[in-house]
Amino acid sequence: MKTAARLLLAIVLLLNLGGPALALDPARSILQFKHTSWTAEDGAPTNVWALAQTPDGYLWLGAASGLYRFDGVTFEAVPLADDDYSHSQHVNALVVTASGELWAGYRRGGIAVFRDGKLRELPSTDRDGVLTMTAAPDGTVWAALNSIQHNLARFVGGKRQDIDPSWNLPEGYIMDLKAARDGTLWVAIDGSLSFLRRGARRFERADVVMGAGAGLAEDAGGRLWVSDSLGARPLPNVAKGEKAKPGMAGYAVSDSARYARILFDRDGALWGTTFSTGVFRVARPDAALTAGASRPHAETYEAKDGLSSNKAVPILEDREGNIWIGASAGLDRLRAANVVVEPGIARSSRFGYMQFADRDGAVWAADSDSVYQALPGQAPKRVRDRLDNPTALCQDKAGAMWLGSSDALTRLGTPPRTVAPPVPPASPYFGCVIDGRGDLWLALFATGYGRLDAQGRWTVFPPLAPEAVYNNIGIDREGRVLLPRARALTRLAADGAVQTLRPPPKLAVGGMRAFYQGPKDFLIGCEFGLLRLTGDRFQALQVARFPWARGVQGIVQTPEGETWILGALGVVQMRTQDLDRAFDDPARPLDYRLFNMKDGLPGPPQQNGARDVVRGGDGRIWLLTLEGVAWIDPARIARNALPPPVSIRALTVNGQVRRDPRDLVLPKGASKLQIDYTALSLSIPERVRFRYRLEGVDKDWVEAGGRRQAFYTNLKPGRYRFQVLAANNDGVWNDRGAVLTFQISPTFVQTNLFRALCALAVIGLLWGLYALRLRQMSDRIHGRLQDRMAERERIARELHDTLLQGVQGLMLRLQSVVDQIPADQPARQALESALDRADDVIVEGRDRVRSLRADRAGDLHEILAEQAERLGLEPAIKVRLVVEGTPRRLHPLVCEEIERIASEALFNTQRHAQARNVEITVGYGSGALTVLFRDDGVGLDQAVLDSGRREGHFGLTGMGERARKIQAEFELRSRPGAGTEIELTVPGGVAYLSPGRRAWPSLRRRALTSET
């Protein structure tokens, strides 16, 4: 991501480094353009007969197997929408109308139109095959038919009209049609040329000579050209009365042309095909067309040069200036190459290449057999050949060039001078530098190094270290000689001093490969980085952060402030001041531009070069590779300024592909999507970069690099908007991009209704489980109450049947004894008094037995009313009883505990509250029994409320304990001067003898907790 960002910044920065460049420079040979071919092995269709480009940027191919569109990466077949295969799918002609529609003509009959993402056949167009088509500026489409008599038809508003004999069109097979910019229609038929003026309904015959296989084109000035078996030439404008000039021979292209097609590119160059000799080009077609001139030949590009096939017919220039050729074997492209291969130097050299830039700006290059000189602005010329592996090139102080080979060291110029090498011919030597005194130095490999002084005497110095090998040599600004070996550098001063310099171990950059003395510092190209030597101090840029610095084989810096570096990744261009800053602070970003094989670099760098990058006097940067010599002209670097059109090709959901999707409603439950998108930059599509986002899913842009697909899973129902942006090979972004909106409909299980039903089901299940648990608890509580009740009844029976009856029997016997004592005896009075007390005890015992049996009749509100009356609160305290709901029968023990709580509450009101009014509310709720005592007394102190009891008193404590015994909620509320409220809430399942509806969970929670 950071590298891509730096590259983008470098591209924007470098857009200002030089003037504009032509699309396909007429000054360059056709062999110097970058050629790419696609064959059946690459997925391309074969037998391509027509090419067209629509406004959306797609390249369309009409082939024998059907219609295809190409985005620079993928060939996509486009079938008829109605799957009509009743006739051959061979597409013979393509044309794009002014409205942007693509028309396809079929060889065996029929015309189809690609409109709104669908290819549909026009009605009533299947009578004759289509040979070629053209579109007029007014929208009329003309179609040449595969018929001798009925050979032309036109379509106006989509309706067909056949051209009958009244139009005066000659019979015969039409070779080509051309609708000129002025509205004139030109028709080439079997050696003749006819034209139809704009708005006319009668063709006229042109008095010109035509050959076989004619193709027509219009140049920038509106002149009509023809290419046929007689050559490529301009035609007189006979429509305006112009006569042919005698003696104008035109360009020789092919005398066996069967189907010729020509075009003029945006720079005015003439391109064409002949179906026999591949492609031809005339860079400046008007230059040699003078009367009486010799017949010049066009420049050709054939199968021997790399074209997929010599049988080529359609030719097209796209919106970016690339030339496309359709051939029998596939598709070819020629485009501007920023790295230009030099055709004047052999593409193959047994022992590689070497070069040197002299002080006059000439570049000297040598292969294994010859030496070439390229003067500024000129092509290289061979100056010496029949050499035996040149190994050294340098220039002495007098300006003479020295050339070293295996058998001699030769001083070129006048007079020439030859010096025997310092070692036997079988021993290799490399490099050549001139020191500050003018002596010549050579690296002698394992022998050491040698010096040739002004008197022509050799001095050979043995290696400075055991097993040291010298295969390179350099010179610094002070004229000191530098010899690399392994990971050290030896520097030889003019006074003979020898100094060995070693980079610190932390600067792990590998072996040294290339030297360059810059305007300020000495640069050393290494295996894993770039070194800068300032004095005795090394600084490094390592490949871990600067990947372009791997395998540096050549360095050069220009007066314009640029640094060019050739390495394993290609050629890097950067500003020298940015490079200096990076050495001072390696953490800084370094902007650069990379040129590699996509830009025309013929091959990887050499591994044994010394000066693999030099600058000529004309500013060109010369490069040495394993596959030839190339150069870059910084002033004419082609830059693609067109933002690429972006298109969404397909959306795949549940295995179904929807091509060219628009606003879609996807099937219910669709959650896994694949979106295929593309950008129509056809120059270097491999360098197109994408970013996309799906609104509502992606929080930020997804940097996709060169990937042309996006995948999404687990998408929820809803409406989505997918947006994709793209940048071309030079980093120019299309900020609008392409947008696809789609909606995913929910299934039933994804609807709110289903969610609500599920929620209700869960609530119902929980409610059922809770009710079941509550029933179990209520049954347990009732069971315990029943056990307690049974035990109390047993005790009551025992008391009644034993103690009370025994005491009563004893009293009867005592009564009989008392009756026998005289009435005036004191003993009788004492016994009668004891018997009265015994009666009271029996009455009290019966009351206790009755309370144990809890068989009191009446409802709770009646019991509470009796209790208030029994306490005698009236008339000092007015008691008001309120009953809410339908009275229900309570469990005896519950009723008893409530009665005792009420007794304590009323007693406290009478004794402590100083109240004048008391209200008792009994609520028979379906889920709970509520009893509320409220008075208007003085209230309770806050300390009593906080502790729940009064110091030294246990009434409140007992009330709480009794409430817990029946699983009731006991709440005490009071404020000083505002009265007191005591609220008792008993779950219905506990309070009522016949539980009906269960209580709501919030009312039963206390009961559950207490029981648990």
Side-chain angles (χ1 to χ4, degrees), residues 49-127:
W49 288 91
L51 293 172
Q53 187 177 33
T54 45
D56 59 9
Y58 274 109
L59 183 70
W60 295 81
L61 290 75
S65 55
L67 180 64
Y68 296 81
R69 68 179 183 183
F70 183 49
D71 63 352
V73 176
T74 304
F75 293 91
E76 180 183 4
V78 181
L80 289 169
D82 53 4
D83 296 329
D84 183 8
Y85 298 104
S86 60
H87 57 74
S88 171
Q89 297 301 298
H90 185 131
V91 176
N92 224 29
L94 293 174
V95 68
V96 178
T97 65
S99 63
E101 293 179 342
L102 177 77
W103 289 50
Y106 292 86
R107 183 174 185 178
R108 300 300 181 186
I111 295 177
V113 179
F114 187 81
R115 182 186 298 137
D116 297 330
K118 300 292 183 181
L119 181 65
R120 294 184 174 88
E121 192 168 14
L122 296 177
S124 304
T125 61
D126 57 348
R127 287 174 290 178

Side-chain angles (χ1 to χ4, degrees), residues 520-521 523 532 539 541 557 563 574-585 588 590:
K520 296 188 300 182
D521 302 306
L523 301 178
R532 181 172 73 173
Q539 293 172 289
L541 299 181
Q557 293 180 328
T563 297
M574 65 187 70
R575 291 187 183 275
T576 301
Q577 62 180 6
D578 292 342
L579 180 64
D580 293 339
R581 292 193 187 105
F583 274 115
D584 295 333
D585 181 10
R588 290 175 60 97
L590 176 58

Side-chain angles (χ1 to χ4, degrees), residues 168-239:
N168 196 36
L169 182 67
E171 294 183 351
Y173 290 108
I174 296 177
M175 293 292 99
D176 201 8
L177 295 171
K178 179 61 182 178
R181 290 190 292 272
D182 63 1
T184 303
L185 176 69
W186 297 88
V187 184
I189 305 176
D190 282 344
S192 68
L193 181 67
S194 298
F195 63 93
L196 179 68
R197 301 178 190 272
R198 182 174 184 177
R201 294 183 61 86
R202 188 173 180 83
F203 282 89
E204 302 174 53
R205 184 79 172 261
D207 186 16
V208 295
V209 178
M210 301 284 287
L216 303 174
E218 186 180 14
D219 65 16
R223 179 182 292 274
L224 187 71
W225 286 63
V226 64
S227 177
D228 53 23
S229 58
L230 302 179
R233 60 203 182 278
L235 295 175
N237 193 340
V238 296

Side-chain angles (χ1 to χ4, degrees), residues 835-911:
L835 288 175
D836 291 339
R837 179 58 184 159
D839 286 337
D840 294 337
V841 171
I842 290 175
V843 171
E844 184 177 357
R846 286 175 177 171
D847 292 339
R848 292 297 181 184
V849 169
R850 184 169 66 251
S851 65
L852 284 174
R853 297 185 64 92
D855 54 356
R856 292 184 59 185
D859 295 322
L860 177 63
H861 57 278
E862 295 177 348
I863 295 173
L864 296 180
E866 293 176 1
Q867 192 173 37
E869 183 178 355
R870 187 167 58 249
L871 288 175
L873 298 179
E874 295 284 0
I877 300 176
K878 296 183 187 241
V879 179
R880 180 171 177 264
L881 187 64
V882 179
V883 178
E884 297 177 351
T886 303
R888 300 176 62 176
R889 188 179 181 191
L890 305 183
H891 193 284
L893 294 181
V894 173
C895 185
E896 179 182 352
E897 296 296 344
I898 293 175
E899 180 182 359
R900 293 184 179 178
I901 292 172
S903 175
E904 182 66 27
L906 294 175
F907 177 78
N908 289 337
T909 299
Q910 182 181 29
R911 184 174 181 181

Side-chain angles (χ1 to χ4, degrees), residues 208 246 345 355 378 478 527 538 653 756 797 811 823 964 979:
V208 295
I345 301 176
Q355 64 180 357
Q378 298 183 21
E478 287 75 22
E527 186 177 3
F538 285 99
V653 55
R797 285 195 301 272
M811 288 178 62
R964 288 191 291 274

Side-chain angles (χ1 to χ4, degrees), residues 32 99-100 240 242 349 422 558 635 667 705 794 987 995:
Q32 292 179 314
S99 63
K240 295 182 179 180
E242 185 178 335
S349 178
T558 70
R794 185 188 66 79

